[in-house]
Amino acid sequence: MTDTMNASQSQGNGRLLEVRNLKKYYPVKTGVFQRVSDHVLAVDDVSFYVKSGETLGLVGESGCGKTTIGRTVLRLTDPTAGEVLFDGKDLLKLKGEELKAARRDMQIIFQDPYSSLDPRVRIGDSVMEGLEIHKIGDKKDRYQMAVDMLKKVGLEEYHSRRYPHEFSGGQRQRIGIARALALNPRFIVCDEPVSALDVSIQSQVLNILKDLQKEFGLTYLFIAHNLGVVEHISNRVAVMYLGKMVELADRDELFRNPLHPYTRALMSAIPIPNPRLKRERIILKGDVPSPLNPPKGCRFHPRCPIAEAHCAEEEPQMIEKTPGHSVACWLA
């Protein structure tokens, strides 16, 4: 009954993915008997949603938990606590054939396409692998579907007979996109898909992703640390710091009026393509604290340029300051 209610609510508000109070703690084991002595708080009580057909950008420094969220949403890593609803169904309760069927609708594009491709397998076979697992079509149909997907990302049929080492980084990322699209999914996690590419190649891959989204009605969770890239492709943007979400807003609203001090610091580092214009840089003091022992209160307060005594005592909650713009900061 509850699953049916969740499904109808999800369809009613247009939300394809809902993440509620997601937590992922990694145990730290020490001693001869490998007893659990502590936990790394990789993701700590994060909630958000992604509407059907939109792109939610997820940004933050390395180690803030972005990739962990993406992998947990897809059940590549099981969470410690929380809910992940996809089209109203709780993915964390699915098993066996139900989970396999749900995964057909959810795919991932990895940051390093070379490590995700088997060096001994031809590209065509790699793209067809998902089709074989889900028993879609016969061998001839699967080959044609793989070729069609390769052409969608700017490659040709003869590329299907080559091996991963015969391609450039940009071409391998196109192959990764083709693999993700082969099963005709509805939702794709893009895990920093352009961070390892040259700037000129980045724009090509981003344009491919936008064109494919328009053609197939795809929904993206786009993980990145480059705010310029996120601004180009996202509809809404969520900012993370040390396992916590600190700000969430529409793209234009966030870039026009960032409320959290951490978001402002990230914005100040975006280069301006005009040598005559200068932006005042906000240099954060200190290093990012360890997720093994995060600071009490607001996790950003040891580095915050406007922190007050209250910030070190009590943790701020995400509050909607204006319609669609939420922030976790006492002084926002």
Side-chain angles (χ1 to χ4, degrees):
M1 181 68 177
T2 303
D3 288 343
T4 304
M5 290 174 61
N6 285 334
S8 62
Q9 290 172 359
S10 177
Q11 292 168 0
N13 56 29
R15 297 178 182 182
L16 182 64
L17 177 76
E18 289 190 68
V19 175
R20 301 174 182 171
N21 308 112
L22 186 67
K23 297 180 180 180
K24 178 59 184 177
Y25 301 163
Y26 290 98
V28 177
K29 299 180 180 180
T30 56
V32 177
F33 297 102
Q34 291 292 287
R35 292 191 175 95
V36 176
S37 61
D38 213 334
H39 287 86
V40 175
L41 310 185
V43 178
D44 193 12
D45 198 14
V46 169
S47 300
F48 62 91
Y49 65 85
V50 189
K51 290 183 179 180
S52 181
E54 80 166 349
T55 299
L56 176 67
L58 193 59
V59 300
E61 293 174 283
S62 296
C64 72
K66 306 185 301 296
T67 295
T68 302
I69 286 179
R71 296 179 67 87
T72 305
V73 162
L74 298 179
R75 287 285 301 273
L76 298 178
T77 301
D78 285 326
T80 304
E83 291 180 288
V84 179
L85 303 178
F86 182 77
D87 205 13
K89 295 181 180 179
D90 191 347
L91 291 178
L92 306 184
K93 294 180 180 178
L94 300 183
K95 296 180 181 178
E97 290 299 319
E98 280 188 312
L99 179 58
K100 181 179 178 180
R103 280 182 165 156
R104 180 175 171 178
D105 284 331
M106 308 173 74
Q107 295 294 307
I108 185 170
I109 301 170
F110 293 98
Q111 178 178 2
D112 182 7
Y114 190 67
S115 63
S116 66
L117 294 171
D118 190 332
R120 299 163 298 180
V121 176
R122 288 185 174 90
I123 294 306
D125 293 328
S126 289
V127 176
M128 287 190 289
E129 185 177 10
L131 299 171
E132 293 173 0
I133 291 172
H134 289 272
K135 298 180 174 60
I136 298 173
D138 56 24
K139 188 172 183 180
K140 183 178 179 181
D141 292 335
R142 290 194 287 265
Y143 175 76
Q144 189 57 52
M145 292 168 73
V147 170
D148 290 343
M149 281 302 147
L150 289 174
K151 289 182 177 179
K152 289 283 186 186
V153 298
L155 299 175
E156 298 297 334
E157 182 175 358
Y158 65 86
H159 286 124
S160 66
R161 296 184 288 275
R162 294 184 177 180
Y163 291 90
H165 71 272
E166 299 180 77
F167 296 89
S168 66
Q171 287 177 317
R172 284 197 288 264
Q173 195 56 283
R174 290 168 188 253
I175 294 164
I177 295 171
R179 287 184 73 193
L181 283 172
L183 289 171
N184 193 24
R186 299 166 62 193
F187 174 74
I188 298 179
V189 173
C190 305
D191 186 12
E192 303 201 32
V194 297
S195 62
L197 306 179
D198 295 336
V199 175
S200 59
I201 305 301
Q202 284 185 12
S203 62
Q204 294 176 18
V205 173
L206 289 174
N207 288 333
I208 287 173
L209 289 172
K210 292 183 74 173
D211 291 342
L212 292 171
Q213 182 178 38
K214 188 179 298 184
E215 181 177 352
F216 295 104
L218 299 170
T219 303
Y220 292 147
L221 176 63
F222 193 93
I223 299 168
H225 59 261
N226 186 330
L227 277 169
V229 169
V230 169
E231 184 180 16
H232 177 70
I233 197 170
S234 301
N235 301 108
R236 292 186 302 128
V237 181
V239 182
M240 286 195 66
Y241 182 80
L242 204 61
K244 288 279 189 180
M245 190 171 290
V246 297
E247 191 163 2
L248 174 64
D250 289 340
R251 174 193 60 195
D252 295 338
E253 167 66 15
L254 186 78
F255 280 84
R256 181 176 61 248
N257 182 32
L259 298 178
H260 199 281
Y262 178 62
T263 308
R264 293 176 193 158
L266 292 179
M267 297 287 189
S268 73
I270 301 175
I272 301 175
N274 188 336
R276 296 181 181 179
L277 297 178
K278 291 186 179 180
R279 178 182 278 131
E280 183 181 352
R281 283 295 309 274
I282 300 175
I283 307 298
L284 299 177
K285 58 185 179 182
D287 297 320
V288 180
S290 170
L292 266 172
N293 186 26
K296 185 181 177 183
C298 175
R299 296 189 177 183
F300 185 60
H301 86 264
R303 306 176 70 197
C304 182
I306 62 171
E308 297 180 356
H310 180 59
C311 300
E313 297 298 325
E314 190 175 352
E315 182 179 326
Q317 301 301 311
M318 286 284 283
I319 297 175
E320 192 172 43
K321 294 293 185 179
T322 59
H325 193 162
S326 302
V327 64
C329 179
W330 294 116
L331 306 173

